[in-house]
Structures are given as structure tokens and as C-alpha cells.
């Protein structure tokens, strides 16, 4: 279990996200009653990353979000692939 958590932690650091994803994450966090840490976990990002995106969004600095990664659809597909792999590993 600990091994998985460490692996997951390292995977989070390597991800990059599109401007569209960052804006949507910030909007979701700002409009939700759920804790930002929960939303960050659901999105596969660090809480501090989501906090930073929300702060920039609140300051109306949406233009500073650069496209550094895949589109939302590509990210969803990647997340589904990762989830499938996780399920396959746990069923062995």
C-alpha cells in the first residue's frame, strides 16, 4: 500500500495540464462545497497546485495559464487508462 502511494505521488509531479483543464479545475473548486483537497485528489493534482490555480483565477489572471499539457479529453482518457491499469493490478 505504501509503495502505491509513493508511486502515485511521483506520478502527480510529472503531469502537465492544459489551460482549459486549469481553468475548469479552478472554477470547480470555487463553485463546490467540497474541500479543495478532495477536489485536487479527484483531479490527480496536489492541493497546493489547485490553490495556486484558484488564486490566479480569482485575481483574474486566467491569461497566465499556459497550455502545458493535453486537452481535457486527452487528460480524461489518460486518467481512465491509469484507473484501468490500477484495477487490473489489484485484481491479480
Amino acid at each position: 500500500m505504501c509503495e502505491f502511494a509513493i508511486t502515485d505521488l511521483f506520478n502527480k509531479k510529472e503531469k502537465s495540464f492544459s489551460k482549459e483543464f486549469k481553468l475548469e479545475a479552478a472554477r470547480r473548486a470555487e463553485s463546490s462545497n467540497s474541500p479543495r483537497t478532495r477536489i485536487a485528489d479527484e483531479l490527480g493534482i496536489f492541493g497546493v497546485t489547485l490553490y495556486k490555480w484558484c488564486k490566479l483565477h480569482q485575481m483574474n489572471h486566467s491569461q497566465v495559464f499556459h497550455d502545458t499539457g493535453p486537452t481535457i479529453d486527452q487528460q480524461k482518457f489518460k486518467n481512465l487508462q491509469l484507473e484501468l491499469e490500477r484495477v487490473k493490478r489489484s485484481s491479480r
Side-chain angles (χ1 to χ4, degrees):
M1 177 107 172
C2 184
E3 190 174 306
F4 173 75
I6 291 171
T7 302
D8 191 44
L9 181 66
F10 286 119
N11 286 340
K12 283 184 179 181
K13 283 184 176 181
E14 296 172 7
K15 292 181 180 178
S16 60
F17 301 94
S18 67
K19 176 181 179 177
E20 186 179 53
F21 182 87
K22 293 173 187 179
L23 287 170
E24 184 59 34
R27 288 182 189 125
R28 179 175 169 191
E30 292 168 358
S31 66
S32 176
N33 291 328
S34 297
R36 288 188 181 173
T37 52
R38 177 181 291 163
I39 294 169
D41 284 341
E42 291 171 359
L43 295 172
I45 60 175
F46 288 112
V48 295
T49 301
L50 181 60
Y51 175 81
K52 181 179 82 173
W53 294 349
C54 289
K55 202 67 161 162
L56 290 170
H57 187 254
Q58 289 170 356
M59 294 169 49
N60 202 19
H61 286 95
S62 300
Q63 68 275 10
V64 299
F65 291 136
H66 302 288
D67 281 324
T68 58
T71 65
I72 288 179
D73 288 338
Q74 291 169 328
Q75 190 63 41
K76 285 180 183 178
F77 181 72
K78 176 93 171 151
N79 288 343
L80 287 171
Q81 285 179 318
L82 292 171
E83 183 65 24
L84 179 60
E85 287 301 315
R86 196 169 22 234
V87 168
K88 283 180 181 179
R89 276 186 270 139
S90 67
S91 67
R92 291 182 189 167

